[in-house]
């Protein structure tokens, strides 16, 4: 299920399956210009980076993002026809790929307010449901997620910490859990290791961020 999937750093993910897909590209080390689809979860600099989008986009790349980010993309000259604006808790289809949005927000912190309508994504590829949670705490919407593979923030401060993330995964019960959102802006690899130690034994955990 993780074949041809990389966590490049932090929350930056590349999937090369039916299409070449990036989620929240960040600190891309060279110009690839190979993206078919780019998913953006929200507008913070470590998730929405125009510099990194420009390193991976090509002329026909489709960019999927929440409304406030769309306005920034248009100001930067990206074509309206290549941009898809999304809202939380909806179903969509692009280039033959089904995906859903899931609310992503903090419960008692002000970094990611619910009213901003930021998102995580469930992307269905080859019959497998990949959940990329975005910057979030556990909430009433994401507790309903059904997925095979979950990419979950564990770094704390701005998102759930490793203990909360492990509780969340033990509740969701995906086949595979991948810790993200550590090692760059906040959190360390030890957070990922601690997370794995708290996840139930029948859920496979994989660290994909290379050091």
């Amino acid at each position: 299920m993780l074949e041809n999937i990389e966590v490049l750093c932090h929350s930056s993910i590349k999937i090369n399956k039916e299409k070449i897909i990036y989620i929240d590209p960040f600190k891309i080390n060279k110009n690839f210009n190979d993206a078919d689809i780019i998913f953006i979860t929200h507008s913070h600099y470590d998730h929405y980076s125009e510099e990194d989008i420009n390193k991976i986009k090509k002329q026909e790349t489709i960019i999927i993002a929440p409304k406030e980010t769309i306005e920034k993309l248009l100001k930067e000259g990206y074509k309206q026809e290549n941009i898809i604006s999304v809202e939380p808790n909806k179903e969509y289809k692009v280039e033959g790929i089904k995906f859903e949005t899931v609310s992503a927000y903090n419960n008692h912190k002000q970094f990611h307010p619910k009213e901003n309508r930021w998102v995580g994504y469930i992307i269905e590829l080859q019959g497998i449901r990949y959940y990329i949670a975005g910057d979030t705490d556990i909430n009433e919407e994401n507790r309903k997620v059904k997925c095979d593979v979950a990419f979950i923030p564990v770094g704390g401060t701005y998102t759930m910490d490793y203990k909360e993330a492990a509780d969340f995964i033990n509740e969701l019960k995906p086949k595979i859990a991948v810790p993200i959102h550590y090692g760059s802006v906040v959190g360390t690899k030890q957070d990922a290791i601690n997370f794995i130690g708290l996840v139930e034994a029948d859920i496979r955990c994989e660290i994909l961020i290379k050091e």
Side-chain angles (χ1 to χ4, degrees), residues 107-186:
N107 296 318
H108 306 294
K109 301 185 283 277
Q110 297 305 310
F111 304 111
H112 306 89
K114 185 175 183 179
E115 55 266 27
N116 284 7
R117 299 179 65 76
W118 291 337
V119 299
Y121 294 98
I122 303 170
I123 305 169
E124 188 170 324
L125 298 165
Q126 299 172 353
I128 300 169
R129 290 169 61 84
Y130 296 91
Y131 173 44
I132 298 91
D135 279 11
T136 190
D137 293 324
I138 305 168
N139 62 53
E140 58 181 302
E141 292 89 356
N142 63 21
R143 295 177 89 157
K144 300 173 185 176
V145 163
K146 304 294 183 186
C147 65
D148 299 294
V149 180
F151 295 82
I152 299 295
V154 301
T157 305
Y158 306 108
T159 68
M160 62 184 89
D161 62 23
Y162 71 84
K163 292 179 182 178
E164 294 164 327
D167 289 342
F168 185 40
I169 287 299
N170 290 337
E171 185 174 341
L172 288 189
K173 298 191 182 303
K175 295 181 177 70
I176 302 174
V178 180
I180 60 172
H181 208 274
Y182 68 89
S184 179
V185 176
V186 68

Side-chain angles (χ1 to χ4, degrees), residues 39 64 84-94 97-103 117 119-124 129 144 146:
F39 288 87
I64 298 164
I84 297 175
S85 176
V86 296
E87 299 178 354
N89 311 308
K90 303 280 188 181
E91 296 182 4
Y92 300 86
K93 189 173 185 179
V94 61
I97 293 173
K98 294 179 182 178
F99 70 93
E100 302 167 26
T101 52
V102 182
S103 289
R117 299 179 65 76
V119 299
Y121 294 98
I122 303 170
I123 305 169
E124 188 170 324
R129 290 169 61 84
K144 300 173 185 176
K146 304 294 183 186

Side-chain angles (χ1 to χ4, degrees), residues 60-73:
E60 64 273 23
T61 299
I62 294 172
I63 303 178
I64 298 164
K67 183 178 179 180
E68 67 162 11
T69 311
I70 300 298
E71 294 166 0
K72 293 182 180 182
L73 288 165

